[in-house]
Each structure stands twice: as C-alpha cells, then as structure tokens.
Amino acid sequence: MRTDSQRSRIPAFHVMDVWKAATERARTHGDVLTLAAGQPSTPAPAPVLRAAREAVDTQVLGYTETFGIAPLREAVAGYHSSRYGIEVDPENVVVTTGSSGAFTLLFLAAFDLGDTVVVARPGYPAYRNTLTALGCRVIELDCGPQTRYQPTVAMLAELDEPPAGLIVASPANPTGTVIDPVELAALARWCEDHGTLLISDEIYHGIEFGSAAEPGGAPARTACAWETSREAVVIGSVSKYFSMTGWRLGWAVVPDALLRPLQRLSSNMTVCPPAISQYAAVAAFTEESRLELDAHVRRYAVNRELLLSELPRLGVTELAPADGAFYVYADIGHLTDDSTTWCADLLDETGVAVAPGIDFDTVHGDRTLRISFAGATADVEEALARLERSAAFRR
C-alpha cells in the first residue's frame, strides 16, 4: 500500500532538524546556545498576556468569523494606516493561522496547477516547497550581492513570459536585506502591468537597522506594497516583531477580487484562526506593547553589531547587509562545501546551533549559514567566544 503522496515528497525544512538536534544536545549536555531559530526569545508583550487571561475568563473561545474577529481586523487595518500612511479597509484584512496559513490559502486561491511563480534565491524555503507541493512551477532568481540579494525589474524582464506570481520579502529571510522603496514600487508597477500577482512578505516589518557601513545610521525604510498597488497582497504576522510565534496568527491584506475565493477555501480548510490568539493579539497593537517590542529591537541591534564586527575577525567576511529581521547570512565556502555537516559538527563541538544555508539556497547553500541574533546579548557573546575557540573556524 502506498503510504505517501507525490506532493509530500518536498524537501524537509532543515532548520527543524537543527532544532531537534539542539534540543537533544540541551538534554544531554545542558550547554546549548540556539542561534538557529527564527523567533524571538521573549514572550508576548504584557498587554497581550493580560488580554489572553481576560479572554479565558470572559469569552466562550469558540469559532469566530472565518476572516477573524472585527476588532483584530480593525487593529491590523489601523496598523497599516498609521505605519504607512495608507487607508486599509478592515474588510480587506484576512486573519489566518500564522502567515504560513496565509501563504497556503493564497497560493490555492490565486494559482492553478502548472502556474509559474517567481521567488528569490536565497529565500525562505517554504515558499518554494509549498508551491511545489501544490503543483506550481517555481522559478528561482539568483539574487546575489550585486542586487543586495533581492529581485529586480530587470530580472523579471528577462523571463520568457510574465509569471503568474512574484514573491518578495523585505526584510528577507535569511539575508535580512530590505528592498529599497523605489525598487519595491517599480516591482509592484511591473507586476500590475503584466498581470502578475505580487505577494509581499512583510512579516519582519518593525525590525530595521541602520546601514552596516554606518553604525547608528537611520534604519532602512520598509515600504508596504500597498503604497503603490492595491492589486498586490501584503502578508503580515504577529510572530516576529510582535514576539508571538507560537500564537499562530497572521494576516493578508488582499484586493477585493481575492476575498471570496479565500473565504471559500478558508471556511472549508481551517474554519477560523485560533480564537484566544485573536482576542489577545488586539492588544499587540497598543502603545504599551509597542514600547516593549521596540526595546527588543534595540537589543537585536546590539547583537547584530556584535556579529557584524566579530565574524570578520574569525575570517567570515562575506556577509549579507542585514538591514532588518534578526539574521546574519554568511558565506563559509572557505571553511566547507557541506554546511549541513559543518553546522552539525559545530553543534557537537561547541553547543552552538546555527542553520545551514541549504534550506535557503538550493545552489550555493552548501557554502552558507544563517545565524539568528534574536536571543539574549549574553548568549551571542558566549557563542562568539566558543566559535573563536572552535576548530571549525581554523580549517
């Protein structure tokens, strides 16, 4: 009897394997420093925790509307209006079970079998793998340092024909690079002109830094795709800036034409997002929460500067700019051509967990790694001290 489907035979998410190995190392040695996970090390903001307790005491916490409770959709719309100076109707906000749920529903709603969707390489592997599982044809654009690891209109113009979709992420995972607002606007206009659905992954908005070349400089401005095109889809989440990964709550801001298709799919596939997370997340958009969350971003900035200054001293000099998010993406080709084994050996030797680049780059990933700096500054300092003593950096 066949036990698995063809669509399930997509590549694994290797970061989760690292996470499992790190958990085992913590159990056996108790010395793990996890710089592999793409999540904050802090709990949800205090107002969110209070709202969750209140919801447990006062709400039934049954099914909600498929697209989410009205107060949360209004809060998300208000967030976009205040941050970007654009008007967003709460009716265009679709609350989902994490941004991952938003992507899956959107891919199903917008693309058919065989449709072509373009993504950047390096990039977040779940775009590529989910699209592949759903029968789409994925084209990866090789985005290196010459374009700051981001796609450009010139790259799209070289394609044989306009794709059905283009996914961009700014700040990006794993590189942390931000698309210049002028370039994002150009991409949005190109997509609108060519009938291509632009999907803008904006889940790391709120985590931005000054130029690596100019420490203390003004943060890179993260533009919203809806500033240029209301035909685009904007994906957001409470996971990253809002420090709520396990609450599994995301959203999509979508054009009117996609609302009914998403309603049909979502009501059948998920019914609604988690109720308690929705009631709690309304408080994530308050001023009190923002002050707490901005303090986390200041800590990320300290950790980022530590890595960008100390890694070159260890011989790791080819680093992505790290404009935002909480990652440093590094070329370690002078140390290995098998980053998966190298990272596993590093964990065994030092207890420091980092992510091999093979998840993010199907061509060059054996020569790269991603380091997360979302944890405590003391952990980053200790990790750097262990790396300096490590044989892995003396090959």
Side-chain angles (χ1 to χ4, degrees):
M1 183 179 70
R2 191 179 71 179
T3 58
D4 64 341
S5 68
Q6 185 65 40
R7 67 174 58 90
S8 72
R9 298 170 193 169
I10 56 175
F13 197 176
H14 294 283
V15 168
M16 304 311 295
D17 294 334
V18 174
W19 207 333
K20 180 179 179 181
T23 300
E24 178 62 17
R25 169 85 184 200
R27 186 186 69 81
T28 58
H29 291 68
D31 65 347
V32 167
L33 295 173
T34 301
L35 278 65
Q39 68 171 349
S41 59
T42 46
V48 171
L49 299 177
R50 290 198 300 269
R53 296 185 188 103
E54 182 180 354
V56 169
D57 290 338
T58 64
Q59 299 291 339
V60 175
L61 299 179
Y63 295 137
T64 71
E65 292 182 56
T66 295
F67 282 172
I69 61 174
L72 180 56
R73 296 173 76 188
E74 291 164 0
V76 171
Y79 163 79
H80 284 81
S81 297
S82 62
R83 180 177 174 88
Y84 309 107
I86 57 176
E87 289 302 316
V88 174
D89 189 329
E91 291 298 312
N92 292 97
V93 176
V94 177
V95 180
T96 59
T97 306
S99 61
S100 298
F103 280 110
T104 301
L105 289 168
L106 181 62
F107 294 164
L108 285 166
F111 306 131
D112 284 317
L113 290 173
D115 277 354
T116 298
V117 182
V118 172
V119 300
R121 187 182 69 238
Y124 183 55
Y127 306 148
R128 178 185 69 244
N129 295 340
T130 303
L131 285 163
T132 300
L134 296 177
C136 293
R137 173 176 174 249
V138 178
I139 292 179
E140 296 181 295
L141 298 179
D142 191 1
C143 300
Q146 68 280 3
T147 63
R148 302 186 81 258
Y149 300 93
Q150 293 284 3
T152 65
V153 168
M155 291 179 180
L156 297 175
E158 292 178 357
L159 298 173
D160 293 337
E161 59 183 4
L166 167 68
I167 304 175
V168 298
S170 175
N173 177 10
T175 62
T177 58
V178 168
I179 301 176
D180 182 84
V182 174
E183 185 65 34
L184 180 60
L187 288 166
R189 286 191 294 268
W190 188 94
C191 287
E192 194 165 305
D193 290 344
H194 291 82
T196 297
L197 179 65
L198 173 63
I199 302 170
S200 181
D201 183 347
E202 302 179 4
I203 69 171
Y204 289 97
H205 280 209
I207 309 175
E208 300 103 20
F209 311 105
S211 167
E214 301 175 17
R221 185 175 97 78
T222 48
C224 177
W226 259 41
E227 293 177 48
T228 301
S229 174
R230 296 303 175 102
E231 297 302 311
V233 173
V234 171
I235 303 293
S237 170
V238 297
S239 288
K240 307 302 182 178
Y241 169 75
F242 295 95
S243 194
M244 295 173 63
T245 52
W247 297 71
R248 306 313 303 135
L249 204 69
W251 67 80
V253 180
V254 304
D256 292 343
L258 280 170
L259 287 172
R260 188 57 182 160
L262 285 167
Q263 172 76 30
R264 290 193 295 263
L265 287 163
S266 186
S267 61
N268 278 285
M269 297 181 71
T270 62
V271 180
C272 67
I276 189 169
S277 298
Q278 293 186 64
Y279 285 105
V282 174
F285 298 92
T286 63
E287 179 69 10
E288 183 182 353
S289 289
R290 188 187 66 78
L291 291 173
E292 183 177 337
L293 296 168
D294 284 348
H296 299 332
V297 177
R298 290 192 291 274
R299 172 170 47 83
Y300 302 154
V302 171
N303 295 348
R304 169 184 178 267
E305 291 300 326
L306 276 170
L307 289 170
L308 293 180
S309 62
E310 292 301 308
L311 286 173
R313 199 168 60 80
L314 297 179
V316 181
T317 57
E318 295 188 40
L319 307 172
D323 305 318
F326 32 61
Y327 308 113
V328 169
Y329 192 63
D331 188 319
I332 55 168
H334 62 295
L335 298 172
T336 185
D337 59 4
D338 181 0
S339 62
T340 301
T341 300
W342 189 91
C343 289
D345 291 345
L346 183 72
L347 177 62
D348 287 342
E349 180 194 357
T350 68
V352 176
V354 296
I358 193 62
D359 266 333
F360 313 104
D361 191 326
T362 56
V363 175
H364 309 293
D366 280 330
R367 300 168 53 88
T368 61
L369 60 79
R370 188 195 73 178
I371 303 174
S372 171
F373 51 82
T377 299
D379 287 347
V380 175
E381 291 173 333
E382 173 60 21
L384 284 165
R386 293 187 195 180
L387 297 184
E388 187 170 14
R389 299 191 298 268
S390 169
F393 282 86
R394 294 194 296 273
R395 294 177 184 174

